[in-house]
Amino acid sequence: MPKTTQLRTYTVRDGLLDEWAQRWREEIVPLRLKLGFTIGGAWVDRELNQFLWLISYEGQETFAERNALYWASPEREAMGLNPDDYLVRTEERTVEKTY
C-alpha cells in the first residue's frame, strides 16, 4: 500500500495539554512505532489549547486497517487512556508531502 500520512489536530480540555502531551509521548508513541507507524513530529499550540501531530503508515495493510489493529491491541487497552477524558475535538486530515 502507498504511504498515507495524517495531520491530526486535537483540541484538549483546559488544563490538560501538558498531561496529554506527556502521555502521548510515553504511551501512544512507543506502541504506534512498534506497529509500524512513523511519527513526523508533534506540536502544541498553547493559545488554542491544541495538540498537532503527523502520523504515517506504509505497509501491507491500509492505514485504516493498521489503525484498527492499534485500537484493538491489548497494549492499547492496557493503557487505560480514554481520549474523551482529554480531547474536546479531533480533526484528521490525510495529507501528501509536496516538499
Side-chain angles (χ1 to χ4, degrees), residues 3-98:
K3 183 177 184 177
T4 300
T5 300
Q6 288 186 347
L7 169 61
R8 295 182 171 192
T9 304
Y10 300 160
T11 302
V12 181
R13 295 186 187 285
D14 287 340
L16 296 179
L17 186 59
D18 290 327
E19 183 179 334
W20 168 259
Q22 181 178 351
R23 291 198 70 183
W24 178 86
R25 275 190 313 272
E26 294 175 359
E27 300 175 52
I28 294 172
V29 169
L31 180 56
R32 287 288 189 176
L33 296 176
K34 178 181 174 184
L35 293 175
F37 291 92
T38 56
I39 308 296
W43 301 264
V44 293
D45 180 336
R46 293 192 185 281
E47 186 175 319
L48 296 176
N49 216 45
Q50 290 184 330
F51 180 86
L52 303 91
W53 62 298
L54 288 171
I55 181 172
S56 300
Y57 177 73
E58 183 175 21
Q60 298 292 329
E61 300 97 351
T62 65
F63 186 99
E65 290 168 334
R66 187 53 98 161
N67 197 51
L69 180 68
Y70 163 80
W71 283 102
S73 71
E75 296 98 326
R76 179 62 184 89
E77 186 175 333
M79 285 180 200
L81 175 60
N82 182 350
D84 291 338
D85 292 341
Y86 289 90
L87 308 179
V88 176
R89 183 171 165 262
T90 63
E91 179 183 343
E92 298 174 358
R93 294 181 181 179
T94 299
V95 295
E96 296 178 14
K97 187 173 183 176
T98 62

